[in-house]
Amino acid sequence: MDQPFDTVPDEAILDGRATDAYFLRTETTLEHAGRNPDVVAEVTADQFPTGEFEVLCGLSDVASLLAGRDLDVDAVPEGTLFDGGPVLRIEGRYLEFARYETSLLGFLSQASGFATGALAVRRAAPDATVLSFGARHVHPAVAAVVERSALIAGLDGISHVAAGELLGHEASGTMPHALVLCFGRGEQEAAWLAFDEAVGEEVARIALCDTFTDEVDETLRAAAALGDRLSGVRIDTTGSRRGDFRHILREVRWELDSRGFEDVELFASGGITPETMREIGDVVDGFGIGSAITSAPPVDFALDIVEIGSEPISKRGKLSGVKEVYRTSDGGHHVGPRGDEGPEGGEALFEPLLRDGELVRELGWERARDRLREDRDRVY
Ligand code: PCP
């Protein structure tokens, strides 16, 4: 079985076969006509600012894609909030990168979408512990893209083991309903106690308390069974049984507190959106969030040639000429022609990424997370 999954292999991405067929026909045609102009191309979502910021993510994959090619590439740093104008610029012969456009846009569009969704989650509960549970909603080959974007957005943890190994950030989590079900109805204590006996001391004892009976009932049983070894409970009440989720969680908190379990933390999960987080954030200590991250729409980036042979050019509807983008002194985003004086006190955002195909910037996710944290303080 050479290729067990519907996953395009890395080699096809790196050699440019992970592309739309029309780029290969473009190569054939330009080579036939003896044309391979010197161009500047830009990657842009909206031409002008719209008032809605998005998070740039996926740059490390783009660097891996274009490294070694005879190109200069500049980009705004990963983790930057952007609102209109280009985020990446490629300078070189067109045929040097034509076939890579599809993968390049895919890398940026999906990762930036996840990171933008994850930032909305982060901002909805700035002080809570928030874990990414989104890997289950995507093809496993891109789970690390979800988790990396979530970490860049400032989430506290991730659930996916292989992604954690890749990113150098150990996966965490609680327990699934499957574990409780395996011990049988009425045997929840056996499940929680077996978990406590089996897993390492470094794992927080967070009991899932909604499998068979009422959330308050299961929570109090978990507290009685584990005593002060219980560090938290997770409530994941299924949508059809949820009713007033905030009320359920307040009841759980009340009953724990009134029995001296004030230190037992309360975690909520299951279909939770930033809006839900704002509704219940004062009652819970943490969240597990999946679809609010993975269902975020991809950012609609396009790659456009804006200069050929030093002359500005563009298709209609797009802005010709090379551009610069700035963080303005009041935290806004400004787009202007390269070479013009930017806004007073503005910081030009583009930085070199590749020079003659060589990587000239560090690209770790921790760096991007720190960048976003700083940029958030300026923008919001
Ligand atoms: C939780 C929930 C969703 C998971 C989290 C993803 O799973 O029921 O399926 O969250 P999302 O709704 O924000 O995307 P678990 O309770 O761990 O799953 P299971 O019922 O399989 O044990």
Side-chain angles (χ1 to χ4, degrees):
M1 196 163 45
D2 287 344
Q3 183 64 44
F5 305 116
D6 289 336
T7 309
V8 171
D10 286 358
E11 306 84 77
I13 300 172
L14 287 168
D15 74 18
R17 281 179 299 119
T19 190
D20 294 307
Y22 65 0
F23 288 118
L24 300 186
R25 291 179 191 136
T26 298
E27 281 185 356
T28 305
T29 306
L30 289 175
E31 280 160 5
H32 173 79
R35 281 181 186 249
N36 185 13
D38 246 323
V39 305
V40 181
E42 292 176 341
V43 173
T44 308
D46 297 302
Q47 300 292 301
F48 298 110
T50 63
E52 299 251 327
F53 280 88
E54 288 154 317
V55 181
L56 182 67
C57 209
L59 209 53
S60 59
D61 286 340
V62 171
S64 300
L65 181 72
L66 297 181
R69 309 209 63 82
D70 188 12
L71 296 168
D72 287 342
V73 180
D74 294 81
V76 307
E78 202 170 29
T80 300
L81 288 158
F82 65 93
D83 175 20
V87 296
L88 183 120
R89 177 197 303 137
I90 304 174
E91 302 186 53
R93 296 281 184 152
Y94 180 60
L95 290 176
E96 199 59 25
F97 66 91
R99 60 165 59 197
Y100 294 100
E101 175 172 337
T102 307
S103 292
L104 184 156
L105 293 178
F107 281 140
L108 292 180
S109 296
Q110 190 172 36
S112 298
F114 290 151
T116 301
L119 180 62
V121 163
R122 179 70 283 172
R123 294 183 67 215
D127 301 320
T129 301
V130 184
L131 302 185
S132 166
F133 282 2
R136 67 189 62 193
H137 301 310
V138 299
H139 191 295
V142 296
V145 179
V146 174
E147 304 296 47
R148 186 174 186 275
S149 302
L151 290 172
I152 287 175
L155 265 59
D156 302 287
I158 56 176
S159 64
H160 198 271
V161 174
E165 287 165 6
L166 201 66
L167 297 167
H169 191 286
E170 200 180 348
S172 54
T174 59
M175 61 179 67
H177 292 95
L179 174 66
V180 185
L181 289 163
C182 283
F183 283 80
R185 184 179 288 280
E187 299 298 327
Q188 293 94 313
E189 282 84 352
W192 300 320
L193 286 168
F195 181 86
D196 182 34
E197 281 169 30
V199 304
E201 281 301 321
E202 73 286 359
V203 177
R205 272 53 183 166
I206 300 174
L208 182 56
C209 290
D210 61 18
T211 307
F212 293 113
T213 69
D214 172 74
E215 291 78 359
V216 171
D217 171 57
E218 292 206 7
T219 294
L220 295 181
R221 285 169 57 186
L226 270 71
D228 57 13
R229 291 185 60 73
L230 183 69
S231 57
V233 295
R234 177 163 73 96
I235 307 295
D236 183 77
T237 313
T238 197
S240 62
R241 299 293 176 90
R242 195 160 273 194
D244 185 339
F245 196 41
R246 178 178 165 81
H247 195 281
I248 293 172
L249 294 164
R250 289 182 77 187
E251 262 185 87
V252 170
R253 181 76 271 160
W254 177 279
E255 299 300 338
L256 280 170
D257 291 352
S258 64
R259 286 163 181 78
F261 290 102
E262 291 94 345
D263 292 341
V264 171
E265 294 192 311
L266 190 47
F267 292 87
S269 61
I272 294 191
T273 63
E275 195 184 5
T276 327
M277 294 173 84
R278 280 187 283 271
E279 283 165 16
I280 62 176
D282 61 323
V283 188
V284 303
D285 302 283
F287 297 94
I289 307 286
S291 52
I293 300 167
T294 51
S295 300
V299 175
D300 189 10
F301 283 121
L303 184 147
D304 296 288
I305 293 174
V306 295
E307 198 176 277
I308 296 187
S310 302
E311 290 299 318
I313 194 167
S314 68
K315 77 175 209 185
R316 59 201 289 247
K318 299 291 175 91
L319 304 175
S320 68
V322 182
K323 292 154 214 87
E324 179 54 273
V325 290
Y326 301 86
R327 176 68 64 248
T328 60
S329 53
D330 62 354
H333 200 74
H334 177 84
V335 186
R338 178 167 71 174
D340 273 19
E341 207 174 305
E344 202 183 327
E347 176 201 345
L349 297 176
F350 270 98
E351 290 178 359
L353 178 67
L354 299 173
R355 284 291 173 271
D356 296 327
E358 208 163 298
L359 186 66
V360 292
R361 194 193 301 180
E362 282 182 40
L363 286 166
W365 65 262
E366 296 94 338
R367 204 180 177 85
R369 175 200 56 197
D370 296 347
R371 167 79 190 183
L372 180 57
R373 197 182 287 145
E374 278 169 32
D375 212 22
R376 278 180 61 186
D377 288 342
R378 295 192 287 181
V379 169
Y380 295 116

